[in-house]
Amino acid sequence: MANPLQGFSVDRDRIKAIGHGLQRPECILAEPDGTLWAADARGGVTRIAADGSQRFIGQKADARFASAAAATSEDVERKFTTGTLPNGLAFAANGDILISNFGTDCLELMTREGATRTLVDRIDGQPIGKVNFVLRDSKDRVWITVSTRVNPWTAAASSRVRDGYIAVLERGVLRVVAEGFYFTNEIRLDAREEWLYIVETTGPHITRMRVREGAQGVTLSDRELFGPAHLGGFPDGVAFDAFGNLWCTLVMVDQLIALTPQGDKLLLLDDGNPAASKNLLSHMAACTVTPDDMLKARGTLAPWMASITFGGPDLRTVYVGSLMGTTIPYFTSPVAGLPMVHWKT
C-alpha cells in the first residue's frame, strides 16, 4: 500500500483557523463532537466548541499573558520561564484534564469546570523538574516527560543539557523509567503500544524504546534512534496517523515534517524564516544560542509551532498548536490520525 503522504504538502491557501485571543495554545485535545481544548498560559485551558464559541477555564488569570506577543528576549525569559505554564494535556479516564505545568513543575488534574489539584510535584523526594508533557495509555497509566531539572529551561536548551527523563504514574506511584534525554518533550505510543516514541528537542532527534510489561510494572528498553540523527530543526510535538507516519513539528524553525514507518523524513510545510533558522541551528550546535536567537526564528502561521492534533469526525483535520500564536490553524490531511485513547465514537 502506498504511503498517502508521499508527494503531499500542505496547501497554505487551504489553511483555516479557529479560536481567537488564545494565550500560548501549546497543546490541543480534540473530541469527536468537534470540541477542542487548548492549553492556556493564563492558568488553565480554553474550550472551543464546534461552532467556534470559546471559554477560558481556570482558577486564576496570569496578567503576564494579557498578550501572546513577546517583543524582546527579556519577554521570552519572563513569559516562558516563570509562573504557571500549562503545557501538555491529556484526558483522564473520567474526562478530567491532566495538565503538565511547565511553570509550576508539577502534574495537575483539573475538572472541566476548573477545580484543580496537584497530583505530583516530587519524585524520589526531589522536585520533579520541568514537566513538559503527559500521556495516558489504554491501561490507564499516566506517562510524563521532564525536559530538565535546570531552571531557567532556556539555559538547559542552549547548553544541550542531557538530564531529561520519563516517568510513569502507575498504581499510585510515580517512578522514573528512562533518563538521559536531550530536553525530553512530547511522547507517543504506536498503535499497539509496543514502542514509545520520544522527542529529544535539542538532540535534535527522536528516539524510541520498547514497552515491556512486568510484575513490578511497565518498563522501557531497547533504546534506539528513529529517523535522522539531526532533523534539521528542533522537534517538539508529535502525533501518529493511521498509516504509521509520525508527524512532527520543528519549533522555532517552524516546519512540519513526518517520519515514515521506515524513518524517512518528509517535509510537509515550511513556514520558517530561513536566515533566522540557519542562525539558530548554528548557535545551538555551538551551545551559544541566546533567547534573542530563539525569538527571531519563527513563522507566521503558528509562531513557534509546537504540536499536532488530529480531530474532526473522520480524524483527518490537523490542528497546529504553538507557543506564540493567538489562534489554531488547521487543514485537511490525506490520511486519518491514529485515535487517541480517549477517542470514543
Side-chain angles (χ1 to χ4, degrees), residues 167-189:
V168 172
L169 183 60
E170 184 178 24
R171 303 168 187 168
V173 177
L174 183 68
R175 57 189 174 84
V176 176
V177 288
E179 54 192 335
F181 297 100
Y182 288 106
F183 209 84
T184 339
N185 210 305
E186 290 200 11
I187 51 176
R188 295 291 179 185
L189 290 158

Side-chain angles (χ1 to χ4, degrees), residues 107 120 123 128 135 137 139-146 165-178 187 189 196 211 216-220:
L107 177 65
V120 288
I123 189 167
I128 203 168
L135 178 72
D137 67 19
K139 295 180 174 61
D140 204 29
R141 292 179 296 227
V142 175
W143 303 75
I144 65 168
T145 66
V146 176
Y165 66 91
I166 298 168
V168 172
L169 183 60
E170 184 178 24
R171 303 168 187 168
V173 177
L174 183 68
R175 57 189 174 84
V176 176
V177 288
I187 51 176
L189 290 158
L196 183 73
V211 179
Q216 303 304 314
V218 69
T219 60
L220 297 176

Side-chain angles (χ1 to χ4, degrees), residues 15-37:
I15 297 175
K16 300 178 182 179
I18 190 170
H20 58 85
L22 305 178
Q23 308 300 329
R24 199 178 178 274
E26 199 276 351
C27 185
I28 301 158
L29 295 178
E31 294 187 283
D33 67 357
T35 303
L36 301 178
W37 303 78

Side-chain angles (χ1 to χ4, degrees), residues 10-314:
V10 179
D11 185 345
R12 294 178 68 102
D13 292 336
R14 293 180 178 272
I15 297 175
K16 300 178 182 179
I18 190 170
H20 58 85
L22 305 178
Q23 308 300 329
R24 199 178 178 274
E26 199 276 351
C27 185
I28 301 158
L29 295 178
E31 294 187 283
D33 67 357
T35 303
L36 301 178
W37 303 78
D40 192 300
R42 289 171 292 179
V45 299
T46 294
R47 180 187 183 277
I48 306 174
D51 64 3
S53 60
Q54 65 184 58
R55 177 168 65 101
F56 168 70
I57 303 171
Q59 290 183 308
K60 60 180 179 180
D62 191 326
R64 292 174 306 122
F65 284 87
S67 167
T72 67
S73 58
E74 288 77 14
D75 284 340
V76 174
E77 290 283 357
R78 178 175 59 89
K79 294 178 68 172
F80 293 92
T81 63
T82 61
T84 182
L85 288 175
N87 209 67
L89 306 176
F91 285 122
N94 67 352
D96 288 347
I97 301 172
L98 294 158
I99 300 175
S100 51
N101 197 311
F102 198 66
T104 58
D105 298 355
C106 64
L107 177 65
E108 301 167 339
L109 183 66
M110 189 181 83
T111 70
R112 296 189 175 210
E113 297 304 318
T116 306
R117 63 186 176 94
T118 297
L119 283 182
V120 288
D121 60 1
R122 301 181 75 81
I123 189 167
D124 297 330
Q126 300 297 317
I128 203 168
K130 307 309 292 182
V131 184
N132 188 304
F133 192 67
V134 57
L135 178 72
R136 185 172 65 88
D137 67 19
S138 64
K139 295 180 174 61
D140 204 29
R141 292 179 296 227
V142 175
W143 303 75
I144 65 168
T145 66
V146 176
S147 297
T148 180
R149 283 191 167 99
V150 174
N151 200 1
W153 64 263
T154 47
S158 63
S159 58
R160 298 186 69 222
V161 170
R162 196 177 182 182
D163 68 339
Y165 66 91
I166 298 168
V168 172
L169 183 60
E170 184 178 24
R171 303 168 187 168
V173 177
L174 183 68
R175 57 189 174 84
V176 176
V177 288
E179 54 192 335
F181 297 100
Y182 288 106
F183 209 84
T184 339
N185 210 305
E186 290 200 11
I187 51 176
R188 295 291 179 185
L189 290 158
D190 64 8
R192 296 184 177 182
E193 297 191 347
E194 293 176 339
W195 290 89
L196 183 73
Y197 289 73
I198 304 152
V199 172
E200 297 189 69
T201 296
T202 56
H205 51 238
I206 291 172
T207 53
R208 69 177 187 174
M209 298 185 73
R210 192 180 298 278
V211 179
R212 297 189 183 277
E213 305 289 344
Q216 303 304 314
V218 69
T219 60
L220 297 176
S221 64
D222 303 331
R223 180 173 172 176
E224 63 183 34
L225 185 70
F226 180 72
H230 193 301
L231 287 171
F234 309 105
D236 193 330
V238 287
F240 275 107
D241 66 29
F243 186 83
N245 299 299
L246 184 64
W247 295 49
C248 177
T249 59
L250 302 181
V251 68
M252 293 181 282
V253 305
D254 280 10
Q255 293 180 348
L256 175 62
I257 65 170
L259 299 179
T260 69
Q262 296 75 36
D264 298 322
K265 175 184 168 182
L266 304 175
L267 178 62
L268 306 180
L269 173 67
D270 187 352
D271 187 46
N273 177 319
S277 295
K278 182 179 179 180
N279 175 72
L280 179 67
L281 287 163
S282 175
H283 280 289
M284 186 67 81
C287 297
T288 57
V289 71
T290 67
D292 192 54
D293 294 324
M294 296 180 186
L295 179 63
K296 290 177 179 176
R298 54 173 153 168
T300 58
L301 290 171
W304 282 17
M305 194 180 293
S307 68
I308 286 293
T309 299
F310 286 92
D314 56 2

